[in-house]
């Protein structure tokens, strides 16, 4: 009996508005126990002092705890530019998939890393633990590395408590404040994905790899947030044994204006942008994820940018607004889960784009 | 003997960096006395307390004053997202145009309004004065309304001195601080353009028209900044009596993700975006102007946006970043002169896009 | 048997950190059912998109709901400058007051306004309803107007739902977005307090009074936030029938650098600042509230200020940082509940300062 | 014949408004050739992208170049909170001092460091060069170390050009962008002052001293800005051979709410704050300088602060607003030249306060 992976996209009137989810649960469309993860894009600044994510998380936890469920929550603040606050619910069920199993249907695997020590955050030890968990997640989904479209990670970050504890133990950690551990945990996890998918050979890596901007995976999106010192690994792809209309694809963007690669990904998923997706096709997009950063060099295609020189607005906000503008206009849809912090995730100065789509009913 | 309109695009390493201009003057490519206007896109926040514009303006004035010249300066701060600080120099010469005069070649006309009283800023009196000056500028270029691609206005705004003077005269003005007069002067000028180009019938308008968001012109871009209580009117189009490879086109964008209209304008100018402009074509774009605002309703294509609810970053910054992302990725070029403050300029929640281009050498 | 009013001050490690409160409840120091109100000063930006307040409120509601209690929550974001996130718990009990009842002991009264219609927000109708409720609250505490130090109001604001409903009813409301209703509801409530305390004669007022910056009460602090279209009124003062060591005082500050008035209030409360409070006295300060705004004129004591010209940081953030710096340095304590939005509350360009203190043990 | 040091304070209506200066020059009160330095406090954000400083600098340079003069310009952006844009002109003349020379009169010395290499910025080499120049400046004024109230430095910073040149030379520099060199150059200069004044023994220092937050001078204020790879050193104090009513004093503040030390400094200068300066005394304050930073620890007097966690407003802006509030309210005057970036300048988490005052006419 085939398994079924499903993706639902909902809008929010405020960070605490989960009314569409509760309605879908009531309608039997969503089974809380079957939800693997939820992406939430809230309207704060997406920076250190953004509590809109907490409001959404508290609300979701309250809902799911009623059912004894605790899906992985991937929260990102910042709806700059045209972006629209929304959330994406991913569930997998067994036995009720419409149609026959197919190597083209969305497949989903999940695993967790072992418990990490505070001093492992941002090191090769974390990368190794990540690679191990990616392998387990692929096995969970019945996927090979070739089947994987991309790996979503909810990464452990340092907490005030963990930092204080390490100080007590007189052990060096790589960041003195939680916010500062985010780049490090993202980097280590991405290296782990690259190793697990065969993009890098872990045996050749030294600790310096964590900070080496030339290393990259084209198939990871890493979001920090776990405070229990474990990382959640979710692999998405197409694999045998899965059925239903849902699909997923991913592609690296070479820079922040790489409309060509974004369009190419849509075409590979069977869409016909010209240049914008027709409304009927736009309605078959259920989730758009982008992780990217400005180039360290202050140049995009030979022209100077000033993202690093704006003391009022932080760089990720510029990236989300600009890439959000490109992708929203391509898709005719402003629900883009766009986030900064893309260490090793796609080309330096570009990033990784992933799209969840649905086949047309008559496909 | 035909006239020649020319457009040059230059990058800036800082707001005071006009080295490319001075080099072009030295090389005889630019004749200071022939420069009609200069667009400068600097790297400040584009808001009330952005002094990057002043630095650029002081530098340009110093350069041009050496030649006894004083072109119209259209300065806009804010290079959010991927946007690149740059400036665009527009000049017109007589007698040295390559090739024959053609109804397809870039034509440029200039006029100034009469002196406005402080209490006329943001009123129909200003709209009338603007309409009169648009007519003069068209005559200056030998253009009919049908020839006009768009009208650029450098609008008078209230100064602290003018506000204080009006207070002394006990005359009511429409804004108590200079910054607050910007929407008003833009609105009045845009109504004037609409009347001059036959888009609106001035005889039917009342004072309420200035604030009526349903009224619109598709062919005006209004930038406040003149402190001498006069507006500069520059009309751009194609007209008989002009020659050379330069062209101009404009189109309204229906909303902030209207990639379709932007692509359509490029196609009408002879380009072949797919979806991005090929590099060779991108090199024939000399200036890209966009004026637009977020929709008053908190919705874009049915999805909520939160531009109006961000207390940290002002709405025009969101618009520049997002539309700049769309246009830069379409053009393969981040030199987009993107600005907010689009009262009556294009559809509400959209705006006006104008592009200066050059024919291919073998065209 | 005398009544006892008590004020407790607690720090927070994060907006959701209410551990000091739960410990005080466990220790029997605080009885959830006896808590009248809680002031919470969280670390967001204090503006429209500050969700730190929501996190604190959700956490507090969860705690109090366990006891079937629902105290009035007065949340204010923004710990600019040296300010420290903290909360102040106010409770009143009967029968367990130490010492004899005294006209000098802290007295607390509470009442609610009637249900307001959306179209009444920001009007004299709201002011009248407020005045009525102030009278009830004074009666609740056994106070006369002369006994009142100040009146704290948690004011009803317009919600998206109320605005939409009024639109459906084709009734005009004074603000099109919830955030925009805050100045209006503050203004109307403050006028109501002025009337109730005899500072203004309600019979002489017209609707214009709501927006007339020359009208003022020296004894109101109004914080918007109620979404149920009622205002909570809490009067603080000293009155017969109350006992215990707690005291309260309030004073208008004439401008944002009025250290003299702040020092005078401390002296009236029995303290000896020189110029800073000695540490032992500082420990007897349990709550410091300030509501104030920048002057509309861009001048403080003859010198220009630029609070209104900062496009990156909103005016209340400047006020909180500056007045917070003055008061924290006077008190030797950075727990200052400093907020903007002081329509009619104290002198224009100044504000109202209120201090909760405790007598020395041997006093 | 005694020398005379004079300090003038002027307000600005905008960054380019130097009308008070030009009037004082016309009136013969200020001799451009006698001006040693000018402090300018402009209204930008004081961060990397603050061009208000450039506007003021361009205007001042234009004025002084007419007289062949080029005083040291110490520009600082950021008038947060109540602070008022202003500038302070310091001049010294010979032979026209009123009254007899006195060891109590303001004395001023000036020297420049040797040319620094890009790779020396932020190193002990820069500290040594600074110490040498401090000695020269003391000699210039006829001062001993004991006479020095404080040393003002306009420090060399790395420029884009210097960074690029060093890269070409394959020499490591300590910052990859000009803005990032500011803490380094401040730190090195402050160490140099500490050595020159005998607060630290240079012979005992290693390169690690530059970054060692425990090292401190109580008598330096370092402002980066020179782009010619030299630092300007100006020593202020009281010394024999000088006359006139002007005085200067300085004191370390132990933390950002150290009202006690600020009051103590005023008292030592002969003032009688209670707690605010009486208006007549306030009028004898000609310049107030403060350099300070938030403590690295997130605590002020045992209470948490959140300055480091605000992703929207940079830490120096918080410091300026808060300390500006304290000092303005103490002085009854909002012209406070308050700036962040106080590496080694005063206690960590505090800073250095300097005040220029004038004796009463009948003193």
């Amino acid at each position: 009996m085939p398994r079924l992976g499903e993706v639902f996209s909902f809008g929010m009137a405020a960070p605490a508005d989960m009314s569409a989810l509760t309605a879908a649960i009531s309608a039997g469309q969503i089974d809380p126990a079957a939800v693997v993860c939820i992406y939430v894009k809230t309207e704060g600044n997406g920076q250190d002092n953004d509590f809109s994510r907490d409001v959404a998380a508290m609300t979701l936890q309250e809902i799911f705890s009623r059912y004894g469920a605790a899906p992985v929550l991937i929260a990102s603040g910042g709806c700059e530019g045209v972006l629209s606050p929304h959330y994406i619910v991913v569930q997998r069920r067994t036995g009720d998939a419409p149609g026959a199993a197919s190597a083209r249907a969305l497949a989903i695997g999940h695993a967790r890393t072992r418990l990490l020590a505070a001093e492992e955050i941002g090191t090769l030890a974390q990368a190794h633990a990540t690679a191990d968990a990616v392998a387990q997640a692929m096995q969970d989904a019945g996927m090979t590395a070739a089947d994987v479209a991309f790996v979503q990670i909810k990464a452990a970050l340092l907490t005030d408590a963990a930092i204080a504890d390490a100080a007590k133990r007189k052990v060096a950690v790589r960041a003195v404040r939680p916010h500062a551990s985010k780049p490090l945990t993202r980097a280590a996890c991405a290296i782990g994905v690259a190793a697990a998918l065969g993009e890098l050979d872990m045996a050749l890596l030294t600790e310096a790899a964590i900070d080496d901007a030339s290393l990259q995976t084209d198939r990871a999106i890493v979001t920090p947030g776990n405070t229990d010192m474990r990382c959640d690994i979710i692999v998405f792809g197409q694999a045998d044994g899965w059925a239903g209309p849902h699909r997923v694809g991913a592609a690296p963007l070479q820079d922040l204006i790489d409309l060509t690669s974004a369009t190419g990904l849509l075409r590979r998923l069977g869409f016909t942008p010209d240049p914008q997706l027709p409304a009927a096709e736009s309605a078959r997009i259920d989730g758009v994820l982008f992780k990217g950063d400005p180039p360290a060099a202050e140049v995009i295609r030979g022209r100077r940018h000033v993202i690093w020189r704006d003391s009022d607005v932080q760089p990720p906000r510029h990236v989300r607004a600009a890439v959000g503008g490109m992708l929203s206009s391509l898709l005719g849809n402003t629900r883009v889960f766009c986030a900064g912090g893309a260490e090793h995730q796609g080309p330096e100065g570009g990033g990784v784009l992933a799209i969840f789509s649905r086949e047309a009913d008559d496909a």
Side-chain angles (χ1 to χ4, degrees), chain A residues 179-238:
Chain A
H179 196 64
S181 73
K182 292 179 180 176
L184 300 165
T185 194
R186 287 190 299 250
C189 282
I191 293 293
V193 172
L197 299 185
E199 295 169 291
L200 288 176
D201 181 349
M202 191 77 93
L204 302 177
L205 299 181
T206 66
E207 282 299 338
I210 304 297
D211 305 317
D212 178 351
S214 74
L215 300 180
Q216 117 186 30
T217 167
D218 284 347
R219 293 190 276 168
I221 291 180
V222 186
T223 310
N226 279 351
T227 55
D228 67 352
M229 304 305 283
R230 291 179 194 270
C231 304
D232 278 285
I233 314 292
I234 304 168
V235 295
F236 291 104
Q238 272 80 215

Side-chain angles (χ1 to χ4, degrees), chain A residues 10-344:
Chain A
F10 299 119
M12 310 159 77
D17 173 24
M18 297 295 161
S19 53
L21 170 65
T22 52
I25 293 173
S26 298
Q29 192 178 25
I30 288 178
D31 169 9
V35 174
V36 177
C37 69
I38 302 180
Y39 290 91
V40 187
K41 189 71 188 157
T42 57
E43 60 203 90
N45 64 17
Q47 300 298 298
D48 200 12
N49 62 336
D50 178 357
F51 299 98
S52 63
R53 295 170 297 208
D54 300 67
V55 170
M58 290 166 81
T59 309
L60 284 167
Q61 280 153 7
E62 201 275 319
I63 292 171
F64 280 91
S65 69
R66 288 181 224 155
Y67 301 94
V72 177
L73 179 59
I74 300 146
S76 166
C79 289
E80 290 83 4
V82 296
L83 296 181
S84 186
H86 69 292
Y87 54 114
I88 304 166
V89 181
V90 177
Q91 76 176 351
R92 59 177 186 181
R93 314 208 211 196
T94 302
D96 55 355
S102 146
R104 291 181 55 232
L106 174 63
I108 304 165
H110 179 217
R112 304 201 83 203
T113 63
R114 64 171 172 81
L115 193 70
L116 297 165
E119 58 271 29
E120 290 180 321
I121 297 295
T123 71
L124 272 191
Q126 184 182 3
H128 275 285
T130 300
D132 291 347
V134 172
Q136 290 168 40
M138 288 194 290
Q139 193 171 21
D140 182 48
M143 264 190 252
T144 66
D147 296 329
V148 174
F150 80 104
V151 180
Q152 171 69 52
I153 299 185
K154 172 82 173 294
L157 50 74
L158 287 173
T159 58
D160 283 318
I163 293 168
D165 174 72
K168 226 176 290 175
R169 291 185 290 122
K170 296 186 190 300
V171 170
V173 294
R174 293 203 61 198
V176 295
R177 267 190 277 274
H179 196 64
S181 73
K182 292 179 180 176
L184 300 165
T185 194
R186 287 190 299 250
C189 282
I191 293 293
V193 172
L197 299 185
E199 295 169 291
L200 288 176
D201 181 349
M202 191 77 93
L204 302 177
L205 299 181
T206 66
E207 282 299 338
I210 304 297
D211 305 317
D212 178 351
S214 74
L215 300 180
Q216 117 186 30
T217 167
D218 284 347
R219 293 190 276 168
I221 291 180
V222 186
T223 310
N226 279 351
T227 55
D228 67 352
M229 304 305 283
R230 291 179 194 270
C231 304
D232 278 285
I233 314 292
I234 304 168
V235 295
F236 291 104
Q238 272 80 215
D240 286 331
W242 295 77
H246 294 274
R247 303 290 178 270
V248 65
L253 300 196
Q254 299 305 312
D255 61 20
L256 299 181
I257 60 171
D258 185 6
L259 181 62
T260 305
S261 295
T263 303
L265 174 58
L266 283 174
R267 288 179 178 150
R268 285 202 302 284
L269 285 165
F271 293 95
T272 60
D274 179 36
Q276 197 171 74
L277 277 196
E281 292 192 0
S282 183
R284 292 194 286 112
I285 302 288
D286 295 318
V288 180
L289 314 176
F290 177 73
K291 249 296 176 179
D293 283 327
E298 298 187 270
V299 167
I300 295 173
R301 300 207 188 171
R303 264 78 194 241
R304 187 165 81 101
H305 71 84
V306 293
I307 295 178
W308 298 115
R309 305 217 175 198
D310 188 336
S311 304
D312 300 310
V313 179
Q314 299 217 352
R317 306 198 74 183
H318 285 281
V319 170
R320 284 193 292 264
V323 178
M326 172 177 72
L327 294 175
S328 294
S329 64
L330 171 62
L331 297 161
N333 187 330
T334 59
R335 284 193 191 153
V336 176
F337 189 95
C338 198
E343 297 78 4
H344 309 306

